[in-house]
Amino acid sequence: KLVDFLFEFSTPGQILGQAFDNSSELPGVILLDRNRFAGMISRRQFLERMSRPYGVELFSRRSIQCLYDFIQADPLVCSGDTLILTAALKSLERSPEALYEPIVVEIAPQVYRLLGAYQLLVAQSCIHQYTAKLLGKRTRQLDRANAEITHLNHRLQAENLRLSAELEVARQLQTRLLPKLEEFGQIPGLEIAGFMEPAAEVGGDYYDVLTHHNGRALIAIGDVTGHGIDSGILMLMMQTAVRT
């Protein structure tokens, strides 16, 4: 909450004291010199000086400028577009004596307002609470996403194991359907050997040696385009057709 409370330098100190007495929410006063910003006196500074011996006699009837010159205050001035967190950091970087002094905010050229340090810290705390709430929400969303990914990974691993088992069965089936060395030895007059190593679990290569009743031998060699289970199935179909 920005406070619009301004006095000219020429205003007597007792007028400022009455204003502070009438409103406990005023954190201080912005001082003007011929309608231009000249400084700021906080409530704490004013009451502290007035409570000292002879303070009332010295400053109540004199202009506020006398008190301001005696205090030699150096207020913190921030522009209206300054982020709350930046303003709070600048406020906390001040000396311990000025730590809780109000901040002067220039909301427009030569237009000034006061912001109490307490209100600034409350605003900063609200931002931290909102950030923590938002972070907690995002963390819970990430936890749910991670749990779903873990579940999908487990399903994928199980599916991979199932497919690997099925491919291993297909590989063994394909290997067993290829001609054996014992079959090669049954062909008189020929020494034949054959071997196939598929690029994947199941390949698309095909070879076979068939004998006829008249002693003649038929050698078949084929290569199915691609590799994998589809090529392997086509290879088995081809072998079945040739043997038939």
Side-chain angles (χ1 to χ4, degrees), residues 74-85:
D74 185 17
L76 173 60
V77 182
C78 296
S79 61
D81 58 355
T82 303
L83 298 177
I84 292 177
L85 296 179

Side-chain angles (χ1 to χ4, degrees), residues 27-43:
V29 59
I30 295 175
L31 302 177
L32 304 177
D33 186 8
R34 292 183 292 275
N35 291 324
R36 296 186 65 84
F37 176 75
M40 185 273 299
I41 294 180
S42 67
R43 170 189 289 271

Side-chain angles (χ1 to χ4, degrees), residues 53-193:
Y54 307 107
V56 175
E57 291 81 356
L58 288 173
F59 301 113
S60 63
R61 297 182 180 275
R62 290 186 172 88
S63 66
I64 304 176
Q65 184 176 2
C66 295
L67 177 60
Y68 182 77
D69 294 340
F70 182 78
I71 295 175
Q72 296 182 346
D74 185 17
L76 173 60
V77 182
C78 296
S79 61
D81 58 355
T82 303
L83 298 177
I84 292 177
L85 296 179
T86 302
L89 180 61
K90 290 182 178 181
S91 177
L92 295 175
E93 289 175 346
R94 296 182 293 181
S95 64
E97 294 79 12
L99 191 60
Y100 296 103
E101 292 293 288
I103 297 172
V104 179
V105 181
E106 187 177 10
I107 60 175
Q110 292 301 314
V111 179
Y112 296 89
R113 299 291 184 269
L114 277 181
L115 176 62
Y118 174 77
Q119 284 75 19
L120 178 61
L121 295 178
V122 168
Q124 182 190 29
S125 177
C126 291
I127 291 177
H128 282 308
Q129 291 178 3
Y130 176 77
T131 303
K133 182 178 179 181
L134 183 61
L135 182 60
K137 180 179 178 181
R138 292 292 184 266
T139 301
R140 289 190 295 271
Q141 291 175 346
L142 287 176
D143 290 341
R144 288 194 295 268
N146 288 332
E148 184 176 357
I149 291 174
T150 301
H151 175 67
L152 292 176
N153 283 335
H154 290 160
R155 288 183 57 186
L156 181 60
Q157 292 175 1
E159 185 68 15
N160 286 338
L161 290 175
R162 184 185 65 82
L163 290 176
S164 297
E166 292 180 357
L167 287 174
E168 177 62 21
V169 171
R171 186 191 67 81
Q172 294 180 9
L173 177 61
Q174 185 183 56
T175 302
R176 292 175 181 176
L177 290 177
L178 290 174
K180 305 295 187 296
L181 293 179
E182 294 79 10
E183 298 179 27
F184 294 156
Q186 295 175 4
I187 302 176
L190 292 178
E191 292 183 0
I192 303 176

